[in-house]
Amino acid sequence: MMPPLDFVRLLDEHGPPLILYARQWCDTPEDVVQDAFLKLISVRQAPHKIVGWLYRVVRNGAIDAARTDRNRQRREAAALPPARWFIEVEVDGLDAEAAVAAMQRLPIEQREVIVARLWGGLTFEEIAEVADCSASTAFRWFSAGIDALRQELGLPCSTTRLPNA
Amino acid sequence: MFDDPLAKRLSQFTPDGAGLDRDGLFFAAGRASVRLSRKWIALIGALILTQGVTLAFLFWPPPPHVAPVPDATPTVAAETPSPRVGDQAGMWTDRESNFGADNKMFPNILVEPMIPAQPPLRAFGPLPADLLQ
């Protein structure tokens, strides 16, 4: 049984990134993440790698939710405002809406790896376990996705930081 | 952490977790964490079973009373024949034992006078002779 303080810390630290991760597939990511945490409480023996286990459960739940709620999502898409991915509106001259729009145009494999790596803090080996691929494939998808985002956002391929717009 | 500047800038965004109901999740997690052990489940099951059996015994309608069917073959009891009412010899025997030969009832009982005849009872003793003269 997981101590309550560990559960709170895990929820505060990984809850928002997990929501963002689940959002790559479905429009009800909060429900999926909540179900994943409840499953974590219900399991008789805590998994060895809790964070990786949570990402895998959230991934499966989000894919299932996307399958079952696809029709409902289509109907409600026009009525609901677009979900906010990030708290900040702008970071270091990078507009959040533009970044989100560029990410949404990426293939799901690249988006998944970028989110898990940048905001989930998972290593490429952990991502490979979650996404059922090799670590090299995960790294390749990540690199390709970052390059595509750079092109989408009109940023030069350089290591120097751009001045604020 | 990230060598690529774009990756570094993107990672500075904070994912929005406002849609997560923390209180509701903690409440649901608290409920989900309570597990009923198998011993308690077995005990509860046994109590339910015994309670059901008890109630069944209490409220089950009793079976209808069925009168015992007599046996078809009559049994002949070996009875000793009672003396006939008109048996004269028996009657006379009883009379003689009660009245005796002198035709008195209870002849063997000795009847004594309850108060002896002599001497007569007086309130005082006999009077002195000088007084009588």
Side-chain angles (χ1 to χ4, degrees), chain B residues 24-57:
Chain B
L25 180 56
F26 289 152
F27 179 75
R31 293 187 63 177
S33 64
V34 178
R35 294 193 191 96
L36 208 57
S37 68
R38 293 189 177 184
K39 289 180 182 177
W40 284 108
I41 292 174
L43 180 62
I44 290 171
L47 287 175
I48 290 173
L49 188 65
T50 54
Q51 183 73 5
V53 170
T54 306
L55 291 176
F57 272 113

Side-chain angles (χ1 to χ4, degrees), chain A residues 25-28 65-66 69-78:
Chain A
W25 289 277
C26 67
D27 287 341
T28 55
D69 294 345
R70 191 160 293 164
N71 293 331
R72 185 178 61 84
Q73 288 171 5
R74 283 195 194 120
R75 289 195 301 271
E76 296 176 355

Side-chain angles (χ1 to χ4, degrees), chain A:
Chain A
M1 177 69 66
M2 177 180 292
L5 286 179
D6 289 352
F7 183 80
V8 172
R9 182 186 55 78
L10 199 67
L11 180 65
D12 289 340
E13 187 175 346
H14 293 281
L18 281 168
I19 290 176
L20 181 61
Y21 186 66
R23 203 184 294 281
Q24 307 308 312
W25 289 277
C26 67
D27 287 341
T28 55
E30 293 88 0
D31 296 341
V32 173
V33 173
Q34 180 161 332
D35 288 344
F37 275 99
L38 290 181
K39 279 184 183 175
L40 177 64
I41 287 291
S42 302
V43 292
R44 192 167 291 276
Q45 189 171 2
H48 181 60
K49 296 178 180 177
I50 294 179
V51 177
W53 183 89
L54 276 173
Y55 270 84
R56 188 169 187 89
V57 171
V58 165
R59 184 180 192 269
N60 294 337
I63 292 172
D64 286 343
R67 285 176 187 156
T68 55
D69 294 345
R70 191 160 293 164
N71 293 331
R72 185 178 61 84
Q73 288 171 5
R74 283 195 194 120
R75 289 195 301 271
E76 296 176 355
L80 290 175
R84 197 173 66 161
W85 284 27
F86 303 112
I87 295 175
E88 297 87 359
V89 178
E90 179 184 326
V91 166
D92 204 6
L94 188 61
D95 184 58
E97 285 188 13
V100 169
M103 284 189 65
Q104 284 178 328
R105 285 190 288 269
L106 293 178
I108 181 63
E109 297 86 3
Q110 295 178 8
R111 261 192 292 153
E112 175 186 2
V113 175
I114 288 173
V115 171
R117 176 78 182 126
L118 291 186
W119 293 284
L122 271 64
T123 64
F124 288 111
E125 287 78 12
E126 291 171 335
I127 294 171
E129 289 181 8
V130 172
D132 282 333
C133 65
S134 65
S136 60
T137 302
F139 177 75
R140 229 176 18 252
W141 284 341
F142 178 80
S143 300
I146 292 295
D147 289 342
L149 283 177
R150 190 177 291 113
Q151 290 180 2
E152 288 279 343
L153 295 171
L155 301 176
C157 183
S158 65
T159 56
T160 56
R161 185 171 295 179
L162 290 176
N164 290 343

Side-chain angles (χ1 to χ4, degrees), chain B residues 89-106:
Chain B
M91 288 179 64
W92 282 110
T93 305
D94 294 341
R95 183 182 182 282
E96 286 178 359
S97 65
N98 290 334
F99 286 88
D102 53 353
N103 210 15
K104 286 184 178 178
M105 197 170 186
F106 307 115

